Amino acid sequence: MSCDHLICAHCSHPVSEGRCPSCRAVRARMHGDGPSIPPVLVLAALLALLFGALLLQRCAA
Ligand SMILES: [Zn+2]
């Protein structure tokens, strides 16, 4: 995915030019430079939550 055609709402210039902090933030996010959570980690966190809920339920009963 590219941000070449996006126009910044702050500086009214193409985001790809990175003229203001807002542009640079969007550009970094779209190009995957910023921190992102891999889907596998999200799935693992969900499973851990489910497991924890099951354990809690078992302890409460
Ligand atoms: Zn901008």
Side-chain angles (χ1 to χ4, degrees), residues 1-59:
M1 192 162 175
S2 168
C3 59
D4 288 344
H5 307 297
L6 283 178
I7 300 297
C8 177
H10 281 246
C11 61
S12 302
H13 282 282
V15 168
S16 57
E17 289 182 16
R19 293 201 181 209
C20 75
S22 172
C23 288
R24 286 192 286 272
V26 171
R27 197 174 52 168
R29 201 172 55 202
M30 296 197 93
H31 286 260
D33 294 335
S36 63
I37 307 171
V40 176
L41 258 180
V42 176
L43 195 69
L46 272 175
L47 278 175
L49 258 173
L50 192 72
F51 191 66
L54 278 175
L55 271 180
L56 269 176
Q57 224 173 24
R58 191 167 290 193
C59 287

